[in-house]
Amino acid sequence: RGIPEEYYEFLFAIDDNRPSTIAKEIIRIKSLSDREINSKVMKGIQFVIKEKNYIVQSKKILDFIRGKLLCF
């Protein structure tokens, strides 16, 4: 898969692309309560705000560059 493991808590992922699997997952998601869906959405929003903001991402880039510079 091309999605980092940390994202799966916030996604509705479908295991394969067979029409029957997709249909079952759509039906399952539609059966969730508004509260369950909103909870997942809010957790995802908080995750992005806390872990994927420009400060955090910039620090990761700087740490990567610093690590590369120390290798020389």
Side-chain angles (χ1 to χ4, degrees):
R1 298 185 186 194
I3 300 173
E5 198 63 37
E6 65 186 338
Y7 287 90
Y8 282 96
E9 180 181 348
F10 314 107
L11 300 176
F12 294 109
I14 300 173
D15 292 331
D16 62 63
N17 62 357
R18 288 180 293 160
S20 61
T21 304
I22 295 169
K24 285 177 188 174
E25 188 63 9
I26 290 170
I27 291 167
R28 186 190 72 78
I29 293 167
K30 285 183 60 70
S31 73
L32 297 174
S33 70
D34 288 346
R35 186 178 192 166
E36 290 172 297
I37 292 172
N38 288 336
S39 174
K40 190 168 194 135
V41 168
M42 292 309 297
K43 286 178 185 176
I45 289 170
Q46 291 303 313
F47 171 75
V48 170
I49 289 170
K50 183 178 175 188
E51 303 294 334
K52 302 299 174 182
N53 64 64
Y54 70 93
I55 295 169
V56 172
Q57 298 302 83
S58 298
K59 183 181 180 324
K60 288 179 183 180
I61 293 168
L62 289 173
D63 290 347
F64 173 77
I65 292 169
R66 287 182 185 128
K68 291 295 182 185
L69 290 176
L70 293 175
C71 292
F72 292 108

